């Protein structure tokens, strides 16, 4: 069995898979002069798992995935599942405003048409939106793993909003420490974030904020500000997917963050010293095995 690895997957993951004895197949790809993508699977593939990640260049990564699945059909190869390390477009999982699409439906529905029923993901924004499409979903919540692998000692886990509460609960219960959540409001037009004041028992404690994505850094910066006001002694952020767009790095640096712990689920640009990247190859292999991956 092989793993068909597409262009969004970071090198460090590809190296890790190879070291673990996985037969990694990477298709030939090129861009036509008009900007369209071309892909060709040149090696023999009988059955496989397809692996992709979707940042940066989210739109291209989706198209590449669709093309790869259609190429596999042409080869009569069996694809037993798709693993997406970071699934883009997952935050638009509702029609927040009239006239909007549920983007994740639009982008993931083609997988069903291409014969895929099972999807593995690392900390997808909304698991239920994939289930609503009739996909079987294996979703890993990695925060406890990230805290343990990084060796940080935390005494309290905080979700920056209600949506991240399940993440905080899973990590905190696994570590045997308390957790809570803040309440965040994002203006759907301007993107401005506000957080309701809340009393939390964090004075003198080391706190880990857990979330799925850090994009502009606005959510983390507000939560960190709240925690320091409440007397927290150190604040870490433990976030699965670090997109860090625009001036996010500068914003977080100013917030007094102790460290940002993240995974190599996306291709990162150069990162400052206070960002620590935990390798998630082990989690990918676990998901692959759950999906039925066998190394022969
Ligand atoms: C939103 O609900 C997500 O879980 C993250 O909290 C959000 O995407 C973070 O975005 P930003 O870093 O731009 O505040």
């Amino acid at each position: 069995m092989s793993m068909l690895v597409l262009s969004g997957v970071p090198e460090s993951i590809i190296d890790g898979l190879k070291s673990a004895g996985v037969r990694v197949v990477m298709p030939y790809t090129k861009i036509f002069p008009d900007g369209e993508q071309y892909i060709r699977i040149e090696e023999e593939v009988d059955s496989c798992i397809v692996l992709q990640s979707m940042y940066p260049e989210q739109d291209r990564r989706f198209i590449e995935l669709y093309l790869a699945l259609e190429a596999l059909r042409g080869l009569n190869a069996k694809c037993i599942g798709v693993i997406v390390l970071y699934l883009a477009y997952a935050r638009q999982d509702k029609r927040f405003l009239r006239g909007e699409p549920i983007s994740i439906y639009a982008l993931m529905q083609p997988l069903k048409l291409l014969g895929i029923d099972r999807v593995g993901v690392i900390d997808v924004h909304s698991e239920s939106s994939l289930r609503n499409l009739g996909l079987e979903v294996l979703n890993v919540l990695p925060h406890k793993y990230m805290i343990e692998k990084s060796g940080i000692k935390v005494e309290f886990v905080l979700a920056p909003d209600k949506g991240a509460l399940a993440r905080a609960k899973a990590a905190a219960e696994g570590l045997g420490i308390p957790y809570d959540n803040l309440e965040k409001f994002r203006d759907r037009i301007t993107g401005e974030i506000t957080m309701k004041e809340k009393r939390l028992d964090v004075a003198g404690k080391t706190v880990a904020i857990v979330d799925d994505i850090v994009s502009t850094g606005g959510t983390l910066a507000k939560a960190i500000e709240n925690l320091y006001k409440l007397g927290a002694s150190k604040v870490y952020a433990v976030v699965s997917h670090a997109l860090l767009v625009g001036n996010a790095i500068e914003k977080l640096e100013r917030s007094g963050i102790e460290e940002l712990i993240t995974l190599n689920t996306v291709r990162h640009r150069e990162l400052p010293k206070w960002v620590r990247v935990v390798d998630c190859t082990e989690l990918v292999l676990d998901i692959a095995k759950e999906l039925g991956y066998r190394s022969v």
Side-chain angles (χ1 to χ4, degrees), residues 93-160:
D93 59 345
K94 291 184 188 72
R95 298 184 207 281
F96 298 99
L97 299 176
R98 188 177 136 76
E100 288 180 347
I102 300 176
S103 306
I104 194 62
Y105 285 2
L107 276 297
M108 288 301 273
Q109 213 144 27
L111 266 66
K112 293 284 292 178
L113 304 175
L114 289 161
I116 300 302
D117 296 316
R118 307 183 79 202
V119 176
V121 275
I122 295 184
D123 197 8
V124 68
H125 184 72
S126 150
E127 208 177 298
S128 57
S129 59
L130 299 181
R131 296 229 160 86
N132 291 345
L133 286 174
L135 290 164
E136 190 184 321
V137 186
L138 289 169
N139 180 31
V140 173
L141 289 183
H143 305 91
K144 175 175 175 276
Y145 179 85
M146 294 162 77
I147 290 171
E148 286 175 343
K149 285 282 169 187
S150 63
I152 58 170
K153 300 280 171 259
V154 298
E155 300 165 284
F156 193 98
V157 179
L158 183 79

Side-chain angles (χ1 to χ4, degrees), residues 91 125 161 184 186 193 211-219:
R91 282 175 287 179
H125 184 72
D161 51 36
K184 172 181 94 176
R186 191 188 290 271
I193 294 167
D211 210 352
D212 55 339
I213 301 166
V214 47
S215 177
T216 65
T219 302

Side-chain angles (χ1 to χ4, degrees), residues 69-291:
L69 293 174
E70 164 53 19
L72 285 170
R73 276 155 75 103
L75 291 172
N76 285 324
K78 184 169 168 47
C79 177
I80 63 166
V82 169
I83 301 178
V84 185
L85 304 179
Y86 165 65
L87 182 59
Y89 284 93
R91 282 175 287 179
Q92 183 72 26
D93 59 345
K94 291 184 188 72
R95 298 184 207 281
F96 298 99
L97 299 176
R98 188 177 136 76
E100 288 180 347
I102 300 176
S103 306
I104 194 62
Y105 285 2
L107 276 297
M108 288 301 273
Q109 213 144 27
L111 266 66
K112 293 284 292 178
L113 304 175
L114 289 161
I116 300 302
D117 296 316
R118 307 183 79 202
V119 176
V121 275
I122 295 184
D123 197 8
V124 68
H125 184 72
S126 150
E127 208 177 298
S128 57
S129 59
L130 299 181
R131 296 229 160 86
N132 291 345
L133 286 174
L135 290 164
E136 190 184 321
V137 186
L138 289 169
N139 180 31
V140 173
L141 289 183
H143 305 91
K144 175 175 175 276
Y145 179 85
M146 294 162 77
I147 290 171
E148 286 175 343
K149 285 282 169 187
S150 63
I152 58 170
K153 300 280 171 259
V154 298
E155 300 165 284
F156 193 98
V157 179
L158 183 79
D161 51 36
K162 281 188 184 158
L165 189 58
R167 296 181 179 94
K169 183 174 189 289
E173 287 181 350
L175 297 163
I177 55 176
Y179 66 95
D180 208 330
N181 69 286
L182 288 172
E183 278 179 55
K184 172 181 94 176
F185 304 93
R186 191 188 290 271
D187 184 310
R188 290 275 152 203
I189 309 290
T190 64
E192 200 199 330
I193 294 167
T194 46
M195 263 176 204
K196 206 166 144 184
E197 294 217 351
K198 186 170 178 181
R199 294 178 77 83
L200 297 168
D201 182 22
V202 295
K205 291 190 179 154
T206 300
V207 183
I209 303 171
V210 300
D211 210 352
D212 55 339
I213 301 166
V214 47
S215 177
T216 65
T219 302
L220 282 183
K222 279 273 180 218
I224 292 167
E225 186 188 317
N226 272 274
L227 285 167
Y228 282 133
K229 267 194 206 157
L230 293 165
S233 62
K234 280 184 189 170
V235 181
Y236 289 92
V238 180
V239 183
S240 307
H241 316 290
L243 313 184
L244 296 170
V245 304
N247 66 347
I249 290 181
E250 294 73 19
K251 200 183 287 174
L252 291 175
E253 214 148 47
R254 280 197 303 270
S255 73
I257 190 171
E258 191 68 24
E259 270 191 301
L260 165 64
I261 315 290
T262 191
L263 295 171
N264 53 345
T265 52
V266 297
R267 288 177 176 266
H268 294 122
R269 57 183 168 128
E270 211 186 315
L271 297 171
K273 284 206 180 76
W274 50 268
V275 181
R276 222 167 349 144
V277 182
V278 172
D279 180 44
C280 67
T281 308
E282 210 178 303
L283 303 179
V284 177
L285 287 167
D286 288 347
I287 299 173
K289 281 182 199 139
E290 280 279 314
L291 287 173

